[in-house]
Amino acid sequence: MQPILIVHGGAGDIPQSRIKGKLDGVRVAVRAGYDVLKNGGNALDAVEAAVVAMEKDENFNAGYGSVLNLRGEVEMEASIMRGEDLNVGAVTLVKDFAHPISIAHKVLTDSPHSLLGGEGAKLFALDKGFPTVPPESLISENAKQALKDFLKHGEFGRTEIGIMDEGGVGTVGAVAVDANGHVAVATSTGGMSGKAVGRIGDTPQIGSGTYADDKIGGVSTTGHGESILKYCLAHSIIKLMEDNVDADTATKEAVKGMTSRLNNTAGAITLSKNGDVGVYFSSKRMSWAYVKNNTLFYGIEHDQVFEEPYSS
Ligand code: GLY
């Protein structure tokens, strides 16, 4: 089949000043992932490549640029899932590695376990040869400012990013179906500004932040973690698709359902196993992009779709 890859750069009250950086960043990321598929690579490597591109980019709340906990530290989380055999890898409370998604991928391929946290994730990563980076090197000026703003208003959990401010960044994710019809999903985050030390959100929890099944499709979510995990948002979308609801409707229904039940916002990107696309967010904005049939589609506002030719 024609391969397809979609990414998101986080849902939230994204301020005007962040729009350009996010739209540029999701286009770079979708190309990085789609190039892997175009060159015959598999869905799992493609979603990792797309997420790595966003973990490098300060415009997103993942890797460098992650938001800070109450102690002013980065504590990152990531998960990845392979739809062929439902195998998963996830990490949480990662402080001193540049690419948590790559460690999660290694957990999937090389560990008998599914989710490793904190010291255990670090020991595993070191054993597999991942280099540490100084934790301060992951902290951006915008993330420091976002924590300062949070400490002033103290309104935890309105979005991943707090109230409208320059720290307005978001969780990232990617979903792909490769030429062999295999589905994979990856999601990575710094969590929420002002979170408690040791707080774990939806992103590393399979069925909440990430889900992939070759028989149905794949979903990556973003938004208010405590709500997403209570609603098992990724799997709620998959379940609707299993009951023959199309990808677009399933994404919309589940995100709206979560928001009306739990009164917090979220967003999700979805692909069916046939490559049908679902994009929906109940927050003010969410950046997203996908490549299908040599065209790159992208947007950040509700009902906005830009397109441009894709060339590798
Ligand atoms: N959705 C990211 C988080 O709440 O941690």
Side-chain angles (χ1 to χ4, degrees), residues 219-277:
V219 180
S220 172
T221 69
T222 163
H224 184 254
E226 280 70 9
S227 302
I228 293 172
L229 69 85
K230 286 171 195 162
Y231 207 76
C232 296
L233 182 59
H235 200 264
S236 295
I237 296 169
I238 291 287
K239 193 80 194 74
L240 286 169
M241 286 162 65
E242 193 175 24
D243 295 339
N244 294 319
V245 179
D246 66 83
D248 191 39
T249 311
T251 308
K252 206 174 283 179
E253 272 188 21
V255 171
K256 280 185 172 170
M258 186 212 91
T259 294
S260 81
R261 189 81 194 272
L262 295 164
N263 202 23
N264 275 302
T265 62
I269 52 170
T270 303
L271 294 179
S272 76
K273 64 178 181 184
N274 303 318
D276 305 314
V277 175

Side-chain angles (χ1 to χ4, degrees), residues 77 160 171 189-192 199 201-203 221-226 228:
E77 320 186 272
E160 286 170 23
T171 293
T189 193
M192 290 202 181
R199 176 265 190 186
D202 57 303
T203 299
T221 69
T222 163
H224 184 254
E226 280 70 9
I228 293 172

Side-chain angles (χ1 to χ4, degrees), residues 2-46:
Q2 265 294 334
I4 174 164
L5 185 131
I6 183 166
V7 302
H8 71 74
D13 283 358
I14 296 159
Q16 191 73 30
S17 58
R18 281 283 184 169
I19 290 178
K20 182 175 181 322
K22 281 184 166 289
L23 287 178
D24 290 348
V26 287
R27 279 182 288 166
V28 167
V30 81
R31 283 175 193 279
Y34 197 78
D35 286 351
V36 173
L37 297 177
K38 190 103 190 195
N39 293 328
N42 65 44
L44 203 61
D45 290 336

Side-chain angles (χ1 to χ4, degrees), residues 35-185:
D35 286 351
V36 173
L37 297 177
K38 190 103 190 195
N39 293 328
N42 65 44
L44 203 61
D45 290 336
V47 292
E48 180 190 351
V51 167
V52 162
M54 291 184 280
E55 286 179 339
K56 284 182 190 161
D57 185 340
E58 196 261 335
N59 285 295
F60 303 105
N61 175 16
Y64 171 60
S66 286
V67 296
L68 306 177
N69 67 17
L70 278 175
R71 219 159 48 186
E73 300 165 335
V74 161
E75 284 188 317
M76 301 172 292
E77 320 186 272
S79 63
I80 191 164
M81 182 162 187
R82 182 164 66 196
E84 190 179 356
D85 56 3
L86 306 187
N87 203 358
V88 299
V91 290
T92 185
L93 307 177
V94 171
K95 293 180 177 186
D96 44 9
F97 292 93
H99 294 297
I101 196 62
S102 302
I103 306 172
H105 190 166
K106 209 62 175 170
V107 172
L108 186 155
T109 54
D110 286 34
S111 170
H113 306 302
S114 298
L115 169 58
L116 294 174
E119 186 63 15
K122 180 168 182 170
L123 288 174
F124 174 82
L126 289 174
D127 186 52
K128 297 298 170 193
F130 288 93
T132 54
V133 296
E136 320 78 74
S137 69
L138 298 169
I139 299 178
S140 68
E141 286 307 312
N142 282 320
K144 284 189 207 164
Q145 189 57 46
L147 181 61
K148 273 192 202 146
D149 293 348
F150 167 81
L151 292 172
K152 263 188 241 146
H153 60 66
E155 194 183 343
F156 176 74
R158 194 174 136 202
T159 70
E160 286 170 23
I161 57 169
I163 307 300
M164 308 259 284
D165 58 32
E166 287 301 312
V169 292
T171 293
V172 304
V175 183
V177 186
D178 63 27
N180 294 317
H182 295 310
V183 181
V185 180

